[in-house]
Amino acid sequence: MKILRKAADMKAIDKASMSEPYGIAPAVLMENAGRAVCEKGGVYVGGWSGKDVMILCGKGNNGGDGFVTARHILAEGGRVYVYAFGEKDGYSDESKAHLKTLEAMCDGERCSLIYYRTASDSALLIKQLDTCHVVIDALLGTGFKGELREPYKSIVMAVNEAAAGRHVTVISVDMPSGVNSDTGAVSGSESEEGSAPVMADLTVTFGAFKQGQFLYPGKACTGKLEIDHIGIPVALSEQCKEAVFLPERQDVIDAVRPRRVDSHKGTHGTVAVLTGCNDMAGAALMAVDGAVRAGAGKVFLYTPAETAKYCIARQPEVMVCGVGPTGTRTLGGSEAREIIDNLENVSVLVMGPGMGKHEGVFDFINYIAEKTTCPMIIDADGLNCLAKHDKQAFFKKYGKRTVITPHPAEFSRLSGLSVRDIKTDLIKAATDFVHTYGVNLVLKGAPTLTVSAKTGHVYVNRTGNAGMATGGMGDVLSGITAAMICHDGIDSLAVAACAAVYLHGAAGDYCARHIGPYGFTATEVASAVPKVLAQWDEARPMPALQEPYIMS
Ligand SMILES: NC(=O)C1=CN([C@@H]2O[C@H](COP(=O)(O)OP(=O)(O)OC[C@H]3O[C@@H](n4cnc5c(N)ncnc54)[C@H](OP(=O)(O)O)[C@@H]3O)[C@@H](O)[C@H]2O)[C@@H](O)CC1
Ligand SMILES: [K+]
């Protein structure tokens, strides 16, 4: 599974590479970084020969990578215009060494080096932009934070205009300048006069992916993303204490193992969805649909007697139980007491979707939690009611066996943070909450994050699309999550939730491909789940029991 890093992690890895026992010279990592940009960038632009390339080098080590890139592009037949924004003496030793070599190669024809100082340098730069084919953005990497300052602000604006108007290709070194590598926050979002970040066509990153390349809005600036390991020792790049992971398709396929051929419905768990109110039967039906489609062995729906009328026979595979006497329209404490004995053999509970905002919801959930021991998924109205009660006490008792699945507005109510603050540093908001309350969290959005209460590990999901930004998707996800918790071979709530989120997004992607970019429904996403599972089966080697030599 790929690991996403922060700037501080990269600094520590960089330092450890240079220290005992490895002792890699800093100039070597920089050399490898610059060479990687030339190689991967060359493939992207169809070779450097005959290309005019502007290389913008900032004051830090990102700029140093730019000096090396220039030398390699030159060797590949490109013409380079290098702008250095730092003072010669202000660069790090390794950047200085590479700058010195580049300086010796300048002939004013194929290689020019301009120390950017005044407005006249800016005029020259903007004029040269007109004729360049490619811009290499080595202004700012992992060292960037806040808002772009001048002169970068005006230069980045000119580069973006050239890219939009003249189709100049922009290749960013490590990070698009103006994107925070930890949070994905971008320059220009805080004030109207702020400057937008570089909009890269390609970003070549080093050693590890950075968190900000996978979080919006930074993700939208990154373009195609390539990685080069630049010779960092594997043991260092694989260290994963408190890591943020990027699960890939194969990771999820490995976790969601195929069913045993001799399995039966008892092997695949019993899901009880306890939810619904008044006439809000849709959310409950979509939650059970998610559980059925993702393979739960048996699915029960316990819903108020009045709601049950709409649910019975809508999905014949589901056993619908109306709770309370005729006329019961909500679930509260007395309804919980009525059904508790039926929940003895349930493998996982789902509560919250379409449950309503009345006071009884908390009594219901609290009583069920107290009298059961199985995993619970709490979503939507279940979360809104917890936000109003003593969530600290609730999660202290039940957090470890609970998965909560809020969207940002629900998470805002739970955490007390504004939606804006949550989005400004999504990973911090999510991990702080899990550290405080000790509950497994699925924070829905683009991207959805899953955080494990047990390990603190964060999983950033890559599947899904904007067509899924519509009602009912979260209800379906809660059902899929329940089925994944029951799935034979998955023994961690966080891994089950992470697999469910990936599967749900992949089913949404299937719908976007086969139905349309949007306009598909949550029910259609649930129906696409078995199709994605079939694709995963095709990607696996044949199960041992079906191999011909055993059959004969
Ligand atoms: N394994 C590794 O880690 C390796 C890393 N390598 C490379 O090093 C890069 C990290 O280098 P780094 O630490 O020198 O930081 P970097 O991104 O050049 O920026 C520092 C400069 O940014 C400036 N600045 C900050 N905010 C600003 C703003 N808002 N607006 C304007 N300026 C702003 C800040 O200025 P100051 O605030 O100090 O005045 C300072 O001058 C990394 O991304 C990768 O490319 C490779 O060489 C190989 C191995
Ligand atoms: K950059």
Short mmCIF file of all heavy atoms in Angstrom, two decimals, residues 7 9-15 17-18 26-34 58-66 90 92 94-95 138-153 173-175 177-178 181 187 204-208 210 229-230 232, ligand 1:
data_model
loop_
_atom_site.label_atom_id
_atom_site.label_comp_id
_atom_site.label_asym_id
_atom_site.label_seq_id
_atom_site.Cartn_x
_atom_site.Cartn_y
_atom_site.Cartn_z
N ALA A 7 5.68 17.12 4.61
CA ALA A 7 6.98 17.77 4.41
C ALA A 7 7.97 17.37 5.51
O ALA A 7 9.13 17.07 5.23
CB ALA A 7 6.80 19.28 4.38
N ASP A 9 8.03 14.64 7.30
CA ASP A 9 8.48 13.24 7.10
C ASP A 9 9.59 13.21 6.06
O ASP A 9 10.58 12.50 6.20
CB ASP A 9 7.34 12.35 6.56
CG ASP A 9 6.11 12.36 7.45
OD1 ASP A 9 6.28 12.60 8.64
OD2 ASP A 9 5.01 12.13 6.93
N MET A 10 9.39 13.99 4.97
CA MET A 10 10.39 13.97 3.89
C MET A 10 11.72 14.52 4.39
O MET A 10 12.77 14.02 4.04
CB MET A 10 9.90 14.80 2.69
CG MET A 10 8.77 14.18 1.90
SD MET A 10 8.91 12.41 1.59
CE MET A 10 10.39 12.29 0.61
N LYS A 11 11.64 15.53 5.21
CA LYS A 11 12.88 16.12 5.78
C LYS A 11 13.60 15.06 6.61
O LYS A 11 14.83 14.91 6.51
CB LYS A 11 12.52 17.32 6.67
CG LYS A 11 12.76 18.63 5.98
CD LYS A 11 13.11 19.74 6.98
CE LYS A 11 13.71 20.92 6.25
NZ LYS A 11 12.74 21.77 5.59
N ALA A 12 12.82 14.33 7.42
CA ALA A 12 13.42 13.32 8.30
C ALA A 12 14.04 12.19 7.46
O ALA A 12 15.15 11.72 7.75
CB ALA A 12 12.37 12.76 9.24
N ILE A 13 13.34 11.79 6.39
CA ILE A 13 13.85 10.72 5.52
C ILE A 13 15.13 11.19 4.82
O ILE A 13 16.11 10.46 4.72
CB ILE A 13 12.76 10.30 4.50
CG1 ILE A 13 11.62 9.56 5.22
CG2 ILE A 13 13.34 9.45 3.37
CD1 ILE A 13 10.43 9.24 4.34
N ASP A 14 15.09 12.42 4.37
CA ASP A 14 16.22 13.03 3.69
C ASP A 14 17.45 13.02 4.62
O ASP A 14 18.54 12.59 4.23
CB ASP A 14 15.80 14.48 3.38
CG ASP A 14 16.64 15.11 2.30
OD1 ASP A 14 17.19 14.35 1.49
OD2 ASP A 14 16.74 16.35 2.28
N LYS A 15 17.20 13.42 5.88
CA LYS A 15 18.28 13.50 6.86
C LYS A 15 18.84 12.10 7.15
O LYS A 15 20.06 11.90 7.18
CB LYS A 15 17.73 14.13 8.14
CG LYS A 15 18.78 14.70 9.03
CD LYS A 15 18.17 15.56 10.12
CE LYS A 15 19.18 15.69 11.25
NZ LYS A 15 18.55 15.85 12.54
N SER A 17 18.77 9.52 5.23
CA SER A 17 19.50 9.00 4.05
C SER A 17 20.95 9.47 4.07
O SER A 17 21.86 8.77 3.64
CB SER A 17 18.88 9.50 2.74
OG SER A 17 17.54 9.24 2.68
N MET A 18 21.11 10.69 4.57
CA MET A 18 22.45 11.28 4.54
C MET A 18 23.30 10.85 5.72
O MET A 18 24.51 10.97 5.71
CB MET A 18 22.33 12.81 4.53
CG MET A 18 21.73 13.35 3.27
SD MET A 18 21.67 15.12 3.41
CE MET A 18 19.98 15.46 3.15
N PRO A 26 24.05 14.67 -0.07
CA PRO A 26 22.83 15.40 -0.44
C PRO A 26 22.78 15.75 -1.93
O PRO A 26 21.71 15.72 -2.55
CB PRO A 26 22.90 16.67 0.41
CG PRO A 26 23.97 16.50 1.39
CD PRO A 26 24.76 15.28 1.06
N ALA A 27 23.94 16.04 -2.49
CA ALA A 27 23.95 16.43 -3.91
C ALA A 27 23.51 15.26 -4.80
O ALA A 27 23.03 15.48 -5.93
CB ALA A 27 25.33 16.91 -4.32
N VAL A 28 23.67 14.01 -4.28
CA VAL A 28 23.29 12.84 -5.07
C VAL A 28 21.77 12.75 -5.19
O VAL A 28 21.21 12.52 -6.26
CB VAL A 28 23.87 11.55 -4.45
CG1 VAL A 28 23.29 10.30 -5.10
CG2 VAL A 28 25.39 11.56 -4.56
N LEU A 29 21.07 12.95 -4.05
CA LEU A 29 19.60 12.92 -4.10
C LEU A 29 19.09 14.01 -5.03
O LEU A 29 18.16 13.81 -5.82
CB LEU A 29 19.01 13.09 -2.70
CG LEU A 29 19.25 11.95 -1.71
CD1 LEU A 29 18.58 12.25 -0.37
CD2 LEU A 29 18.75 10.61 -2.24
N MET A 30 19.70 15.17 -4.95
CA MET A 30 19.27 16.28 -5.81
C MET A 30 19.55 15.96 -7.28
O MET A 30 18.73 16.26 -8.16
CB MET A 30 19.98 17.56 -5.38
CG MET A 30 19.41 18.81 -6.02
SD MET A 30 20.10 20.30 -5.29
CE MET A 30 19.00 20.57 -3.94
N GLU A 31 20.70 15.36 -7.51
CA GLU A 31 21.05 14.96 -8.89
C GLU A 31 19.98 13.98 -9.43
O GLU A 31 19.48 14.13 -10.54
CB GLU A 31 22.43 14.28 -8.89
CG GLU A 31 22.88 13.73 -10.23
CD GLU A 31 23.20 14.82 -11.24
OE1 GLU A 31 23.55 15.94 -10.83
OE2 GLU A 31 23.07 14.56 -12.46
N ASN A 32 19.64 13.00 -8.60
CA ASN A 32 18.65 12.00 -9.04
C ASN A 32 17.29 12.64 -9.27
O ASN A 32 16.56 12.26 -10.19
CB ASN A 32 18.52 10.89 -8.00
CG ASN A 32 19.78 10.05 -7.91
OD1 ASN A 32 20.64 10.13 -8.78
ND2 ASN A 32 19.90 9.23 -6.87
N ALA A 33 16.95 13.63 -8.43
CA ALA A 33 15.65 14.30 -8.57
C ALA A 33 15.59 15.06 -9.90
O ALA A 33 14.63 14.92 -10.67
CB ALA A 33 15.43 15.25 -7.39
N GLY A 34 16.62 15.83 -10.17
CA GLY A 34 16.63 16.62 -11.42
C GLY A 34 16.64 15.74 -12.65
O GLY A 34 15.96 16.01 -13.65
N GLY A 58 13.39 28.44 -7.61
CA GLY A 58 13.22 29.22 -6.38
C GLY A 58 14.47 29.20 -5.51
O GLY A 58 15.52 28.68 -5.91
N LYS A 59 14.32 29.74 -4.30
CA LYS A 59 15.49 29.94 -3.43
C LYS A 59 15.88 28.70 -2.63
O LYS A 59 16.97 28.63 -2.10
CB LYS A 59 15.17 31.05 -2.41
CG LYS A 59 14.96 32.41 -3.05
CD LYS A 59 14.93 33.51 -2.01
CE LYS A 59 13.62 33.53 -1.24
NZ LYS A 59 13.53 34.60 -0.25
N GLY A 60 14.97 27.75 -2.54
CA GLY A 60 15.24 26.56 -1.73
C GLY A 60 15.76 25.40 -2.56
O GLY A 60 16.19 25.59 -3.72
N ASN A 61 15.70 24.20 -2.00
CA ASN A 61 16.22 23.03 -2.70
C ASN A 61 15.37 22.62 -3.90
O ASN A 61 15.84 21.92 -4.78
CB ASN A 61 16.37 21.86 -1.73
CG ASN A 61 17.63 22.00 -0.90
OD1 ASN A 61 18.52 22.78 -1.25
ND2 ASN A 61 17.69 21.30 0.22
N ASN A 62 14.11 23.03 -3.91
CA ASN A 62 13.29 22.79 -5.11
C ASN A 62 13.97 23.48 -6.31
O ASN A 62 14.06 22.89 -7.40
CB ASN A 62 11.87 23.35 -4.87
CG ASN A 62 10.84 22.80 -5.84
OD1 ASN A 62 10.32 23.53 -6.68
ND2 ASN A 62 10.53 21.52 -5.75
N GLY A 63 14.48 24.67 -6.07
CA GLY A 63 15.21 25.39 -7.12
C GLY A 63 16.48 24.64 -7.52
O GLY A 63 16.84 24.58 -8.71
N GLY A 64 17.14 24.03 -6.51
CA GLY A 64 18.35 23.24 -6.80
C GLY A 64 18.03 22.09 -7.75
O GLY A 64 18.81 21.80 -8.68
N ASP A 65 16.89 21.44 -7.54
CA ASP A 65 16.47 20.36 -8.46
C ASP A 65 16.34 20.93 -9.88
O ASP A 65 16.64 20.25 -10.87
CB ASP A 65 15.11 19.79 -8.05
CG ASP A 65 15.11 19.16 -6.66
OD1 ASP A 65 16.20 18.89 -6.14
OD2 ASP A 65 14.01 18.95 -6.12
N GLY A 66 15.87 22.18 -9.96
CA GLY A 66 15.69 22.82 -11.26
C GLY A 66 17.02 22.99 -11.99
O GLY A 66 17.10 22.79 -13.21
N GLY A 90 22.99 32.33 -1.08
CA GLY A 90 21.89 31.93 -0.20
C GLY A 90 21.47 30.49 -0.39
O GLY A 90 20.72 29.94 0.42
N SER A 92 21.58 26.31 -0.61
CA SER A 92 22.21 25.24 0.17
C SER A 92 23.48 24.78 -0.56
O SER A 92 23.63 25.05 -1.77
CB SER A 92 21.25 24.06 0.31
OG SER A 92 21.03 23.49 -0.97
N GLU A 94 24.42 21.92 -1.68
CA GLU A 94 24.21 21.06 -2.84
C GLU A 94 23.63 21.85 -4.02
O GLU A 94 24.03 21.67 -5.17
CB GLU A 94 23.35 19.83 -2.50
CG GLU A 94 21.97 20.09 -1.93
CD GLU A 94 21.94 20.21 -0.42
OE1 GLU A 94 22.92 20.72 0.15
OE2 GLU A 94 20.92 19.83 0.19
N SER A 95 22.72 22.79 -3.73
CA SER A 95 22.16 23.61 -4.80
C SER A 95 23.27 24.48 -5.41
O SER A 95 23.36 24.64 -6.63
CB SER A 95 21.06 24.53 -4.28
OG SER A 95 19.98 23.78 -3.79
N ALA A 138 10.19 24.93 -10.75
CA ALA A 138 11.00 24.51 -9.59
C ALA A 138 11.07 25.68 -8.60
O ALA A 138 12.11 25.92 -7.99
CB ALA A 138 12.39 24.08 -10.05
N LEU A 139 9.95 26.41 -8.48
CA LEU A 139 9.95 27.57 -7.59
C LEU A 139 9.86 27.13 -6.13
O LEU A 139 10.67 27.54 -5.29
CB LEU A 139 8.75 28.48 -7.92
CG LEU A 139 8.86 29.28 -9.22
CD1 LEU A 139 7.54 30.01 -9.51
CD2 LEU A 139 10.01 30.29 -9.14
N LEU A 140 8.84 26.32 -5.81
CA LEU A 140 8.59 25.96 -4.42
C LEU A 140 8.14 24.51 -4.34
O LEU A 140 7.27 24.09 -5.13
CB LEU A 140 7.48 26.84 -3.83
CG LEU A 140 7.76 28.34 -3.82
CD1 LEU A 140 6.47 29.12 -3.79
CD2 LEU A 140 8.63 28.69 -2.62
N GLY A 141 8.67 23.78 -3.39
CA GLY A 141 8.25 22.39 -3.22
C GLY A 141 7.61 22.20 -1.86
O GLY A 141 6.68 22.91 -1.50
N THR A 142 8.17 21.27 -1.09
CA THR A 142 7.57 20.96 0.21
C THR A 142 7.77 22.11 1.22
O THR A 142 7.15 22.09 2.29
CB THR A 142 8.17 19.67 0.79
OG1 THR A 142 9.60 19.79 0.74
CG2 THR A 142 7.75 18.45 -0.01
N GLY A 143 8.61 23.08 0.89
CA GLY A 143 8.85 24.19 1.82
C GLY A 143 7.81 25.29 1.73
O GLY A 143 7.83 26.22 2.54
N PHE A 144 6.86 25.19 0.79
CA PHE A 144 5.87 26.27 0.62
C PHE A 144 4.80 26.22 1.71
O PHE A 144 4.30 25.16 2.06
CB PHE A 144 5.20 26.17 -0.75
CG PHE A 144 3.96 27.01 -0.83
CD1 PHE A 144 4.06 28.38 -1.05
CD2 PHE A 144 2.70 26.46 -0.64
CE1 PHE A 144 2.93 29.18 -1.07
CE2 PHE A 144 1.56 27.26 -0.67
CZ PHE A 144 1.67 28.62 -0.89
N LYS A 145 4.43 27.40 2.19
CA LYS A 145 3.18 27.50 2.98
C LYS A 145 2.58 28.89 2.81
O LYS A 145 3.26 29.83 2.41
CB LYS A 145 3.38 27.15 4.44
CG LYS A 145 4.59 27.66 5.14
CD LYS A 145 4.59 27.08 6.54
CE LYS A 145 5.87 27.12 7.29
NZ LYS A 145 7.11 27.00 6.61
N GLY A 146 1.30 28.99 3.14
CA GLY A 146 0.62 30.29 3.11
C GLY A 146 0.21 30.71 1.72
O GLY A 146 -0.29 29.91 0.94
N GLU A 147 0.43 31.99 1.43
CA GLU A 147 0.05 32.57 0.13
C GLU A 147 1.31 32.89 -0.64
O GLU A 147 2.30 33.34 -0.05
CB GLU A 147 -0.71 33.88 0.38
CG GLU A 147 -1.99 33.73 1.16
CD GLU A 147 -3.15 33.29 0.28
OE1 GLU A 147 -3.37 33.92 -0.77
OE2 GLU A 147 -3.81 32.31 0.63
N LEU A 148 1.27 32.73 -1.95
CA LEU A 148 2.44 33.06 -2.77
C LEU A 148 2.78 34.53 -2.63
O LEU A 148 1.90 35.39 -2.72
CB LEU A 148 2.14 32.77 -4.25
CG LEU A 148 2.19 31.32 -4.72
CD1 LEU A 148 1.73 31.24 -6.17
CD2 LEU A 148 3.58 30.75 -4.57
N ARG A 149 4.07 34.79 -2.40
CA ARG A 149 4.51 36.19 -2.32
C ARG A 149 5.08 36.62 -3.66
O ARG A 149 5.41 35.78 -4.49
CB ARG A 149 5.59 36.33 -1.23
CG ARG A 149 5.14 35.88 0.15
CD ARG A 149 6.13 36.30 1.23
NE ARG A 149 7.42 35.64 1.10
CZ ARG A 149 7.80 34.58 1.81
NH1 ARG A 149 6.98 34.04 2.69
NH2 ARG A 149 9.00 34.05 1.64
N GLU A 150 5.21 37.94 -3.84
CA GLU A 150 5.89 38.44 -5.03
C GLU A 150 7.38 38.12 -4.94
O GLU A 150 7.91 38.04 -3.83
CB GLU A 150 5.69 39.97 -5.17
CG GLU A 150 4.26 40.36 -5.53
CD GLU A 150 3.85 39.93 -6.94
OE1 GLU A 150 4.58 39.17 -7.60
OE2 GLU A 150 2.76 40.31 -7.35
N PRO A 151 8.09 37.89 -6.03
CA PRO A 151 7.59 38.00 -7.41
C PRO A 151 6.87 36.75 -7.92
O PRO A 151 6.36 36.74 -9.02
CB PRO A 151 8.88 38.23 -8.20
CG PRO A 151 9.91 37.44 -7.46
CD PRO A 151 9.54 37.54 -6.01
N TYR A 152 6.85 35.67 -7.07
CA TYR A 152 6.28 34.41 -7.56
C TYR A 152 4.82 34.58 -7.98
O TYR A 152 4.36 33.98 -8.96
CB TYR A 152 6.35 33.32 -6.48
CG TYR A 152 7.76 32.95 -6.07
CD1 TYR A 152 8.02 32.43 -4.81
CD2 TYR A 152 8.83 33.11 -6.94
CE1 TYR A 152 9.30 32.08 -4.41
CE2 TYR A 152 10.13 32.77 -6.55
CZ TYR A 152 10.35 32.26 -5.28
OH TYR A 152 11.62 31.92 -4.91
N LYS A 153 4.10 35.41 -7.20
CA LYS A 153 2.67 35.58 -7.45
C LYS A 153 2.42 35.99 -8.91
O LYS A 153 1.63 35.35 -9.61
CB LYS A 153 2.17 36.67 -6.48
CG LYS A 153 0.74 37.02 -6.57
CD LYS A 153 0.39 38.02 -5.46
CE LYS A 153 -0.92 38.72 -5.81
NZ LYS A 153 -1.38 39.61 -4.76
N VAL A 173 8.07 20.45 -10.29
CA VAL A 173 9.08 19.66 -9.60
C VAL A 173 8.61 19.40 -8.17
O VAL A 173 8.41 20.35 -7.41
CB VAL A 173 10.44 20.41 -9.62
CG1 VAL A 173 11.48 19.66 -8.79
CG2 VAL A 173 10.92 20.61 -11.05
N ASP A 174 8.35 18.19 -7.85
CA ASP A 174 7.91 17.70 -6.52
C ASP A 174 6.49 18.13 -6.16
O ASP A 174 5.66 17.30 -5.82
CB ASP A 174 8.90 18.10 -5.42
CG ASP A 174 8.86 17.12 -4.25
OD1 ASP A 174 8.34 16.01 -4.43
OD2 ASP A 174 9.35 17.47 -3.16
N MET A 175 6.20 19.42 -6.19
CA MET A 175 4.84 19.94 -5.90
C MET A 175 4.55 21.08 -6.88
O MET A 175 5.48 21.82 -7.24
CB MET A 175 4.77 20.54 -4.49
CG MET A 175 4.79 19.59 -3.33
SD MET A 175 3.41 18.44 -3.29
CE MET A 175 1.96 19.49 -3.12
N SER A 177 3.95 24.70 -7.42
CA SER A 177 4.24 25.80 -6.50
C SER A 177 2.95 26.50 -6.09
O SER A 177 2.11 26.83 -6.93
CB SER A 177 5.18 26.81 -7.17
OG SER A 177 6.39 26.16 -7.46
N GLY A 178 2.79 26.69 -4.78
CA GLY A 178 1.57 27.31 -4.26
C GLY A 178 0.60 26.30 -3.68
O GLY A 178 -0.48 26.67 -3.23
N SER A 181 2.02 20.96 0.71
CA SER A 181 2.22 19.51 0.50
C SER A 181 1.58 18.66 1.61
O SER A 181 1.36 17.48 1.43
CB SER A 181 3.71 19.19 0.38
OG SER A 181 4.38 19.62 1.52
N SER A 187 -2.56 28.42 -2.41
CA SER A 187 -2.46 29.87 -2.37
C SER A 187 -3.65 30.46 -3.12
O SER A 187 -4.13 29.88 -4.09
CB SER A 187 -1.16 30.27 -3.06
OG SER A 187 -1.09 31.66 -3.18
N VAL A 204 6.34 15.72 -11.09
CA VAL A 204 7.26 14.61 -10.80
C VAL A 204 7.68 14.75 -9.35
O VAL A 204 8.29 15.76 -8.97
CB VAL A 204 8.49 14.63 -11.73
CG1 VAL A 204 9.41 13.45 -11.42
CG2 VAL A 204 8.08 14.62 -13.19
N THR A 205 7.29 13.78 -8.53
CA THR A 205 7.56 13.89 -7.09
C THR A 205 8.62 12.88 -6.68
O THR A 205 8.89 11.92 -7.41
CB THR A 205 6.24 13.73 -6.29
OG1 THR A 205 6.42 14.25 -4.99
CG2 THR A 205 5.78 12.29 -6.19
N PHE A 206 9.23 13.12 -5.50
CA PHE A 206 10.42 12.35 -5.13
C PHE A 206 10.24 11.59 -3.82
O PHE A 206 9.75 12.14 -2.83
CB PHE A 206 11.62 13.29 -4.98
CG PHE A 206 11.76 14.24 -6.12
CD1 PHE A 206 11.84 15.60 -5.90
CD2 PHE A 206 11.76 13.77 -7.43
CE1 PHE A 206 11.95 16.48 -6.96
CE2 PHE A 206 11.87 14.64 -8.49
CZ PHE A 206 11.95 16.00 -8.27
N GLY A 207 10.69 10.36 -3.82
CA GLY A 207 10.78 9.58 -2.58
C GLY A 207 9.47 9.00 -2.10
O GLY A 207 9.40 7.84 -1.72
N ALA A 208 8.40 9.78 -2.12
CA ALA A 208 7.07 9.32 -1.67
C ALA A 208 6.05 10.31 -2.19
O ALA A 208 6.38 11.47 -2.45
CB ALA A 208 7.00 9.27 -0.15
N LYS A 210 3.02 12.88 -1.68
CA LYS A 210 2.75 13.82 -0.60
C LYS A 210 1.24 13.91 -0.39
O LYS A 210 0.47 13.84 -1.36
CB LYS A 210 3.30 15.22 -0.94
CG LYS A 210 4.71 15.25 -1.54
CD LYS A 210 5.76 14.72 -0.61
CE LYS A 210 7.17 14.72 -1.16
NZ LYS A 210 7.43 13.94 -2.36
N HIS A 229 12.06 7.39 -7.00
CA HIS A 229 12.53 7.14 -5.63
C HIS A 229 13.88 7.77 -5.34
O HIS A 229 14.33 7.76 -4.19
CB HIS A 229 12.47 5.64 -5.34
CG HIS A 229 11.03 5.19 -5.29
ND1 HIS A 229 10.21 5.52 -4.24
CD2 HIS A 229 10.25 4.56 -6.21
CE1 HIS A 229 8.98 5.08 -4.49
NE2 HIS A 229 8.98 4.49 -5.68
N ILE A 230 14.50 8.33 -6.33
CA ILE A 230 15.76 9.09 -6.25
C ILE A 230 16.84 8.44 -5.37
O ILE A 230 17.71 9.12 -4.85
CB ILE A 230 15.53 10.58 -5.85
CG1 ILE A 230 14.94 10.75 -4.45
CG2 ILE A 230 14.66 11.30 -6.87
CD1 ILE A 230 14.98 12.20 -3.94
N ILE A 232 16.53 6.90 -2.43
CA ILE A 232 16.34 6.88 -0.96
C ILE A 232 16.27 5.42 -0.51
O ILE A 232 15.56 4.62 -1.13
CB ILE A 232 15.03 7.63 -0.59
CG1 ILE A 232 15.23 9.13 -0.83
CG2 ILE A 232 14.64 7.37 0.86
CD1 ILE A 232 13.98 9.96 -0.67
N1 LIG B 1 14.12 13.83 0.20
C1 LIG B 1 13.97 15.13 0.07
O1 LIG B 1 13.30 15.70 0.89
C2 LIG B 1 14.56 15.85 -1.09
C3 LIG B 1 14.05 17.08 -1.45
N2 LIG B 1 14.42 17.72 -2.55
C4 LIG B 1 13.80 18.96 -2.95
O2 LIG B 1 13.81 19.91 -1.91
C5 LIG B 1 12.53 20.50 -1.78
C6 LIG B 1 12.36 21.05 -0.42
O3 LIG B 1 13.34 22.02 -0.28
P1 LIG B 1 13.26 23.15 0.82
O4 LIG B 1 13.01 22.53 2.13
O5 LIG B 1 14.48 23.95 0.66
O6 LIG B 1 11.94 23.96 0.44
P2 LIG B 1 11.43 24.60 -0.94
O7 LIG B 1 10.24 23.88 -1.35
O8 LIG B 1 12.51 24.76 -1.92
O9 LIG B 1 10.92 26.04 -0.45
C7 LIG B 1 11.70 26.83 0.41
C8 LIG B 1 11.60 28.25 0.00
O10 LIG B 1 10.23 28.59 -0.11
C9 LIG B 1 10.07 29.91 0.32
N3 LIG B 1 8.66 30.11 0.61
C10 LIG B 1 7.89 29.42 1.49
N4 LIG B 1 6.62 29.86 1.45
C11 LIG B 1 6.60 30.85 0.53
C12 LIG B 1 5.57 31.70 0.04
N5 LIG B 1 4.34 31.63 0.54
N6 LIG B 1 5.86 32.58 -0.95
C13 LIG B 1 7.11 32.66 -1.42
N7 LIG B 1 8.14 31.89 -0.99
C14 LIG B 1 7.87 31.00 -0.03
C15 LIG B 1 11.00 30.03 1.47
O11 LIG B 1 11.32 31.35 1.64
P3 LIG B 1 11.42 31.99 3.12
O12 LIG B 1 10.03 31.89 3.68
O13 LIG B 1 12.39 31.14 3.84
O14 LIG B 1 11.84 33.39 2.85
C16 LIG B 1 12.19 29.21 0.98
O15 LIG B 1 13.08 30.02 0.26
C17 LIG B 1 11.59 19.39 -2.18
O16 LIG B 1 10.31 19.84 -2.54
C18 LIG B 1 12.34 18.76 -3.33
O17 LIG B 1 12.07 19.47 -4.51
C19 LIG B 1 15.37 17.13 -3.49
O18 LIG B 1 16.40 18.04 -3.71
C20 LIG B 1 15.93 15.79 -3.14
C21 LIG B 1 15.70 15.23 -1.82
#
